[in-house]
Amino acid sequence: MVDFTRNTFEASQMIFDKGDAAESVYVLRSGLVDIRLGTWGKNASTLGQVRAGEVFGEVALLENRCHRASAIAREKSVILEIPRDEFMRRLDAADPLMKSVVGHLIARLQDITSFT
């Protein structure tokens, strides 16, 4: 049984905010999501956009920390939410070599990411 939740977010609706605990990994099924520092206004900056088929929120979950940025639907978006327990169960079941590759990718990303 797959333990995913399907959620629909309207344009400008927040999916998670900077500082929120990372309890899930998200897969964008349709729509467009902005990853931002700040939400709206003068100090907001868009770090990137998530497009259909892409995954987001995984780094904070794998690092077991709070989100360092916010995710906001740019347009109506359908998102699959994979809870931490399910994600970690699947990761633990993965080939040890693939788990090692994921660990190294996360370490490299930590090295090159400078925003807080």
Side-chain angles (χ1 to χ4, degrees):
M1 176 91 185
V2 178
D3 190 18
F4 300 165
T5 303
R6 182 184 172 121
N7 295 307
T8 301
F9 293 85
E10 298 300 324
S12 301
Q13 190 175 359
M14 188 171 297
I15 299 155
F16 58 78
D17 199 3
K18 178 181 178 180
D20 287 350
E23 297 297 330
S24 299
V25 171
Y26 304 88
V27 179
L28 184 59
R29 300 290 295 161
S30 64
L32 187 65
V33 171
D34 285 341
I35 305 299
R36 297 174 164 254
L37 282 179
T39 49
W40 306 105
K42 293 179 183 177
N43 295 327
S45 65
T46 300
L47 300 173
Q49 290 187 325
V50 181
R51 300 187 189 292
E54 294 181 341
V55 176
F56 62 105
E58 77 284 0
V59 174
L61 187 133
L62 287 168
E63 292 179 346
N64 198 28
R65 61 163 171 79
C66 295
H67 292 289
R68 291 185 182 165
S70 302
I72 301 168
R74 176 169 278 256
E75 61 190 44
K76 186 173 183 175
S77 300
V78 176
I79 296 171
L80 294 179
E81 184 176 344
I82 307 167
R84 172 189 294 279
D85 291 343
E86 177 68 12
F87 182 80
M88 296 310 289
R89 183 185 70 73
R90 288 172 179 252
L91 183 60
D92 287 342
D95 178 294
L97 177 62
M98 292 296 103
K99 286 175 27 179
S100 177
V101 169
V102 168
H104 286 287
L105 290 172
I106 293 300
R108 265 198 207 145
L109 186 59
Q110 289 172 326
D111 289 342
I112 63 172
T113 303
S114 62
F115 68 92
T116 56

